[in-house]
Amino acid sequence: MSTYTLTYFNGRGRGELTRLILVAAAVQFEDVRVTWPDDWPGTAQADSPLGQLPYLTIDGIKIPHSLAIARLVAKRFNLAGSDDLEQAKTDAVVDTITDLQNAFYLVAFKDEPDALIAKFIAEDANTHLERIEKIVTLYGTEGYSVGSSLKWSDLHLFDITSTFLALDVNILDKYPRIQAVRRTVESNDKIQAYLKDRPETSF
């Protein structure tokens, strides 16, 4: 049986999606949380395959890049789609959500980002959320972003929108299909248990 170790900062960020996939699949894994500046940079950075986080160690092999890691474990544990076409749909939803994530990170990690974040929430976020709502409606059913069973795209959507709900509790009011996906993920017993015990972090 393979062993899994996820190495990432002590936060959700780009590592949380893989955590959620492994949790939903009931896969045991070691969750190594690197602290800054105590552990990073330094030995932790030197140990990473590309000098960045996250990376996943599977049976001693280190795999970098957050989406490559998440896609691998989703495929291994049947959360990527039942065939190549459904996997492509799932990838398309994931990429559309990641567009929102990347656009937000461009402003969230600047110096004194508060005004930029407020502007992003008020303006740019809705453009991305409209696109996500559209593709989820196109490919999914009520409560699922693709098909009629849980996919890693559902977990990605839950994770990223949680960040935005913490900034604006009403931001999803116009997006019923996104809200339905969130309810599906929140009702998953394994995810519920994980969220209850998950460390509170700033990102």
Side-chain angles (χ1 to χ4, degrees):
M1 180 179 294
S2 293
T3 59
Y4 300 86
T5 300
L6 180 70
T7 304
Y8 189 60
F9 296 111
N10 184 30
R12 299 178 306 278
R14 295 191 187 275
E16 192 67 8
L17 175 56
T18 295
R19 294 186 186 119
L20 290 171
I21 295 168
L22 291 167
V23 167
V27 176
Q28 294 294 318
F29 69 101
E30 185 177 1
D31 186 11
V32 175
R33 292 176 177 251
V34 173
T35 59
W36 181 91
D38 295 337
D39 302 319
W40 189 275
T43 303
Q45 187 172 29
D47 287 343
S48 64
L50 294 177
Q52 61 191 32
L53 299 178
Y55 65 89
L56 183 70
T57 306
I58 305 176
D59 300 332
I61 300 171
K62 296 177 180 179
I63 309 294
H65 286 296
S66 57
L67 289 184
I69 294 165
R71 185 177 292 108
L72 170 62
V73 294
K75 286 183 175 179
R76 280 198 168 194
F77 301 110
N78 302 313
L79 292 171
S82 59
D83 55 34
D84 57 357
L85 182 57
E86 192 171 64
Q87 288 176 11
K89 291 177 181 178
T90 305
D91 285 345
V93 174
V94 166
D95 289 347
T96 306
I97 299 164
T98 302
D99 287 343
L100 169 60
Q101 181 185 28
N102 289 341
F104 178 67
Y105 283 175
L106 284 176
V107 301
F109 292 102
K110 290 183 179 295
D111 293 334
E112 301 180 0
D114 290 352
L116 293 172
I117 290 175
K119 182 177 184 295
F120 186 88
I121 294 296
E123 300 173 10
D124 299 339
N126 283 294
T127 299
H128 289 279
L129 289 168
E130 287 169 4
R131 296 179 70 217
I132 295 168
E133 180 82 0
K134 181 177 181 179
I135 198 167
V136 166
T137 302
L138 181 64
Y139 290 154
T141 56
E142 183 71 13
Y144 299 100
S145 60
V146 178
S148 57
S149 63
L150 190 71
K151 307 287 190 306
W152 68 299
S153 50
D154 301 316
L155 300 171
H156 195 28
L157 183 53
F158 173 82
D159 178 42
I160 299 307
T161 55
S162 294
T163 296
F164 289 97
L165 285 168
L167 297 168
D168 179 358
V169 296
N170 300 313
I171 196 166
L172 298 182
D173 287 357
K174 298 187 295 184
Y175 309 109
R177 298 300 289 268
I178 293 176
Q179 293 181 61
V181 171
R182 286 188 55 82
R183 288 192 295 271
T184 295
V185 175
E186 288 172 331
S187 67
N188 181 284
D189 291 343
K190 300 181 188 71
I191 297 297
Q192 281 184 359
Y194 170 74
L195 295 177
K196 181 179 179 181
D197 296 331
R198 180 173 67 178
E200 290 290 335
T201 58
S202 59
F203 67 94

